Structure formats: structure tokens, C-alpha cells
């Protein structure tokens, strides 16, 4: 099958979160299965020089965006059996940020969506499946169906839209989006593109894609409710028959404690002694007291309300009253950087916070910590808990979305489970389960060892889920 991914980020080229990990890991797995997989991405200047040097200029064309005519170059790079195309326009993507600041996101990603579709005949690539990821690609299924499907080149293309996070929808003024994409007034009704008086890129994808997927079965159910539906739950309920929850995997080669070059010392499930060294060196590097007996809880992730940081804020004093250390790595909202900056001063030598996108430190924290805390308000899938499990770091999570599908709370009667969980979005419920985990750490090392071993032995690869996507592609196209 010929499969095209369109996305706004993808490892190893550019990453702000899990979307990049998923696109970057799934594409090569599908290619390995024998499919012709290509990925179209924006050519951000932030893409490392090392990758830019390996790109090859293919062609360029002009993109008509309302009254604008914009240059679009196509650079190409082949890696792990996948062809990556980078759409180059310095005005839109030659900026010192990836998202957000310019106030013209509708034009940047409107350009991206239009250019993806226009590039295909020039690249002589007519995919069977066009798989669009998140709101930045949301207009692609809509444009395909509204403006392109009558053309023979595009007529057979089936589209899939994957929700990686329903919170980010790409909401703009209708007039602004019309000015860029030229979608006539008749299309702006609530059953088509209009959404509470606005244009909404994600809604466009949800309405017009042939199938919708999201990144865990639980999240697929949750987003049909008002609590998790981010005002699109009605539409998602209406499309329930076309909605699939496919659990994300992780790149098990990149995240492998046995071979990971970024951690202090490699270790295996048979010989976990190296984990202690990782902990000691991490404690030292972060300015924490080096002490093997104090449990270390790590948090790595975007500092946003999604990640349950309000719960941590609420009981940070109680957590730190325990014999425990915390290490936090993340970038995001000022209220959380303020919180953890304050806490670092308050609990000097016991709590460390780093506010950066630091890939290497993230690996070191996954390897060096005893527990990984992820009390998310909502979590489409979550990769961090999977990475933690793989490194023998025990997750403490809230039972929501993908966390619910991947972490099972330890059951002291049956000995089942691979972590510790709580259900309600409540700070003291979280605190109690942290205390429970710490008690096992102090008094039941056998249980801690069992959970670590079980975590490290789990299968978090893409093997199963890639198969699920292929089944869906086959169902949509009728091809084998
Ligand atoms: P989300 O997609 O909501 O941000 P996920 O758990 O799905 O959350 O994926 C987050 C990914 O980004 C993980 O691989 C995590 O390790 C990584 N990550 C998040 N913040 C940072 C950071 N500040 N430095 C390094 N890696 C980070």
C-alpha cells in the first residue's frame, strides 16, 4: 500500500511532544512491513543542521492562498525505508519557534495543508491512504473531499485523521481561514466546517476524514463525553462508528536500557545493578543528596494543566514531608515553572527542576528514578509511562485515557499490576497512592523488584498497533 503521513512534527527531525515520537516510530515500522510510506513535514529552521545537510532539493512550486502566491520548495530525505518530504517556505517556517507566537497559525498550517495536497502530483505519488495527524493537518481531509476528490489523481485516496490531543484544535476566525483557503460561504455550517462561530482545523478533519483514530481505546471512549470531549463530543458521538482507538507504542530501540548511549550505565532485567548507578549519578548531576535509600520520583513532560500539575501544587508540601526526592523536567506554563522553582529553593537538595527540552536528561531521568509520577487530568495515550516501565521505573498515574490502558495498579492479593494508580482527579487521592508506593519502597522491596521486572519485560513496541493501523487501511481501501 502507498501510505502518506502528514504531520507538524516527527522524530528525529523536530519534536515538542508525543506526536513526534508516534509519527517518527510508526512510519518506519509500516515501511518495514513492505508498504511505501512517505511523510510530509514543514521545513522548520529548527531542524538540526545534521539533517538539513542530508536533504536533497527535489522541486518547487507556487501555492495559491487566496490573493497570495507563496513559494514552496520540496526537500527530500530517505531514512529507515521511509521517504520524508519537507515543505520549505522561509516566511512560514523559518521562524525561531515551531508553534504559536505569530498570530498567523491559520495561514502557516493552511499553507501546509494546501501544499501537501498540491505537491502530490508533482511528486508523482498518489497514496492509497492519506493519514493526517492532529489539527495542523486537519484541513487536509476536508480539502481533499471538497475540492480534490473529483480529480482522477485524488479520487481513490482514503483519508484518516488521528487525534493525538483533542485539546489543541486550531481555532481561528472564519474570514481568516477563508482568506487563505478560499472555502465558500456554503461550507460554513455546523454540519461542515463551522464550529461555535469559528473555523476549527480539528473539526474539519473529524467531519471529512473517512476514518478517525485516536491513540488509546480509553481515550476513544472518553472523548465521546462532555467531560473529555473539548466541545467536539457531539460530533465525535455522531462519528462513533468510524472512530478507532489504537494504542501508541514507543521506539523500543531508542528506549532500551540495555543499549541506550545517553544513560550513565546500561542495565538489563536480569542484572539491574546499573540502575542504582544511574540513580546515584542523576542525584549528583541534579544537585540532590546522593542516597540510594531515598526514593526518587521523576516527572518529565510538558508543564501544562493536562499533566495534573495542579494536584502536585496542592500537596507538594505533604509529598516533600515524606522521605523522598523529586526531579522535574519540563517546559511550559509560568505557573508551574514558578511552582517548581520555588520548590527547588524550599527543598534544596531534595527537589530539582530543569526547564528545558533536554532529550539526554530525559533518558537519564527515566533510567535513574525509582518512580514516575503522571497524574494527568486527561491523557490521550502518554508515552512517558511506557518509557518508564521499559526502564524499570514504576509509574504512579491517574486512571485516564492511555494511562488507564497501560498501567494496572498493584494488587496485593493477586500480585497483579505494573504500577500504582488512582481514579479521581483529587490531590489527596494522589497523595495517598504516592504514600502507598513509598511504603512498598521502604518495606516490601520484593514487590518493588517484581514491579520493576514486570515493567521491563512488557511489550511496548509498535508491532501490535502497526498491525491495527494496517487492518484499518485495508478496510478503507479494500486492498490487501
Ligand atoms: P505529550 O504528547 O502530551 O507531550 P507524551 O507522554 O505522549 O506527552 O510524550 C511526551 C514525550 O516528550 C516523551 O517522549 C517525553 O519524554 C518527551 N518530553 C516532554 N518534555 C520533555 C522535556 N522537557 N525534555 C525532554 N523530553 C521531553
Amino acid at each position: 500500500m502507498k501510505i502518506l503521513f502528514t504531520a507538524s512534527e516527527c522524530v528525529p527531525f523536530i519534536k515538542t511532544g508525543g506526536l513526534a515520537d508516534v509519527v517518527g516510530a510508526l512510519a518506519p515500522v509500516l515501511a518495514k512491513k513492505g508498504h511505501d510510506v512517505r511523510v510530509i513535514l514543514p521545513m522548520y529552521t529548527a531542524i538540526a543542521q545534521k539533517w538539513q545537510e542530508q536533504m536533497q532539493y527535489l522541486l518547487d512550486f507556487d501555492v495559491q492562498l487566496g490573493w497570495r502566491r507563496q513559494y514552496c520548495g520540496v526537500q527530500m530525505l530517505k531514512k529507515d525505508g521511509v521517504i520524508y518530504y519537507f515543505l520549505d517556505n522561509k516566511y512560514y517556517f523559518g521562524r525561531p519557534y515551531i508553534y504559536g507566537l505569530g498570530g498567523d497559525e491559520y495561514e502557516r498550517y493552511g499553507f501546509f495543508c494546501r501544499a501537501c495536497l498540491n505537491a502530490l502530483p508533482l511528486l508523482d505519488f498518489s497514496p492509497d491512504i492519506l493519514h493526517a495527524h492532529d489539527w495542523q493537518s486537519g484541513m487536509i481531509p476536508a480539502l481533499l473531499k471538497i475540492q480534490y476528490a473529483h480529480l482522477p489523481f485524488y479520487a481513490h485516496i482514503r483519508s484518516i485523521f488521528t487525534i493525538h490531543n483533542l485539546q489543541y484544535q486550531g481555532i481561528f476566525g472564519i474570514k481568516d481561514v477563508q482568506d487563505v483557503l478560499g472555502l465558500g460561504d456554503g461550507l460554513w455550517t455546523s454540519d461542515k466546517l463551522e464550529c461555535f462561530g469559528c473555523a476549527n482545523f480539528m473539526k474539519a478533519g473529524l467531519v471529512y476524514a473517512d476514518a478517525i483514530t485516536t491513540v488509546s481505546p480509553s481515550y476513544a471512549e472518553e472523548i465521546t463525553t462532555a467531560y473529555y470531549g473539548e466541545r467536539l463530543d457531539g460530533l465525535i458521538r455522531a462519528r462513533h462508528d468510524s472512530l478507532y482507538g489504537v494504542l501508541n507504542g514507543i521506539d523500543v530501540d531508542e528506549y532500551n536500557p540495555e543499549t541506550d548511549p545517553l544513560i550513565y550505565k546500561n542495565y538489563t532485567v536480569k542484572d539491574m545493578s546499573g540502575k542504582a548507578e544511574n540513580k546515584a549519578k542523576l542525584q549528583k548531576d541534579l544537585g540532590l543528596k546522593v542516597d540510594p535509600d531515598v526514593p526518587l520520583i521523576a516527572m518529565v513532560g510538558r508543564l501544562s494543566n493536562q499533566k495534573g500539575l495542579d494536584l502536585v501544587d496542592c500537596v507538594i508540601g505533604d509529598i516533600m514531608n515524606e522521605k523522598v526526592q523529586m526531579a522535574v523536567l519540563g517546559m511550559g506554563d509560568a505557573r508551574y515553572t514558578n511552582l517548581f522553582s520555588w520548590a527547588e529553593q524550599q527543598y534544596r537538595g531534595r527537589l530539582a527542576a530543569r526547564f528545558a527540552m533536554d532529550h539526554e536528561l530525559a533518558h537519564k531521568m527515566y533510567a535513574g528514578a525509582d518512580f514516575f509520577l503522571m497524574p494527568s487530568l486527561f491523557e490521550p495515550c502518554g508515552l512517558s509511562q511506557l518509557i518508564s516501565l521499559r526502564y524499570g521505573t514504576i509509574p504512579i498515574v491517574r486512571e485516564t485515557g492511555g494511562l488507564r490502558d497501560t498501567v494496572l495498579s498493584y494488587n496485593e492479593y493477586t500480585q497483579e499490576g505494573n504500577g500504582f494508580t488512582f481514579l479521581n482527579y483529587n490531590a489527596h487521592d494522589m497523595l495517598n497512592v504516592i504514600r502507598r508506593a513509598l511504603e512498598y519502597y521502604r518495606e516490601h522491596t520484593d514487590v518493588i523488584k517484581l514491579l520493576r521486572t514486570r515493567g521491563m519485560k512488557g511489550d511496548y513496541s509498535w508491532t501490535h498497533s502497526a498491525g491495527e493501523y494496517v487492518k484499518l487501511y485495508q478496510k478503507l481501501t479494500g486492498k490487501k
Side-chain angles (χ1 to χ4, degrees), residues 293-349:
D293 297 327
V294 179
L296 174 57
I297 302 178
M299 296 184 85
V300 178
R302 287 178 298 110
L303 300 180
S304 95
N305 75 322
Q306 177 197 333
K307 300 293 173 182
L309 299 166
D310 292 330
L311 302 188
V312 178
D313 187 5
C314 190
V315 292
I316 186 81
D318 298 286
I319 298 173
M320 297 312 294
N321 275 342
E322 302 289 324
K323 187 182 170 194
V324 72
Q325 292 181 349
M326 283 193 78
V328 181
L329 170 63
M331 282 171 69
D333 298 357
R335 60 185 156 143
Y336 303 121
T337 50
N338 287 342
L339 164 68
F340 290 117
S341 301
W342 167 84
E344 188 167 27
Q345 299 304 314
Q346 183 76 10
Y347 306 105
R348 216 179 272 265

Side-chain angles (χ1 to χ4, degrees), residues 15 18 21 255 301-302 307 329-330 356-358 366 382-384 387:
K15 165 170 168 174
D21 288 310
Y255 297 107
R302 287 178 298 110
K307 300 293 173 182
L329 170 63
M357 193 71 193
D358 189 337
Y366 288 119
L383 299 174
S384 297
I387 304 170

Side-chain angles (χ1 to χ4, degrees), residues 270-285:
K270 283 207 187 84
D271 177 8
M272 271 191 239
S273 55
K275 189 157 171 69
E277 187 173 330
N278 278 292
K279 178 173 170 181
K281 292 224 163 100
L282 180 66
Q283 286 174 319
K284 181 162 178 287
D285 279 3

Side-chain angles (χ1 to χ4, degrees), residues 44 65 82 101 104 130 204 252 265 360 408 446 454 458 475:
Y44 302 105
L65 296 171
V82 178
L101 303 173
D104 62 349
L130 195 165
V252 287
K265 188 163 168 60
E360 185 172 338
L408 183 67
D446 53 324
R454 198 170 275 160
K475 188 170 165 187

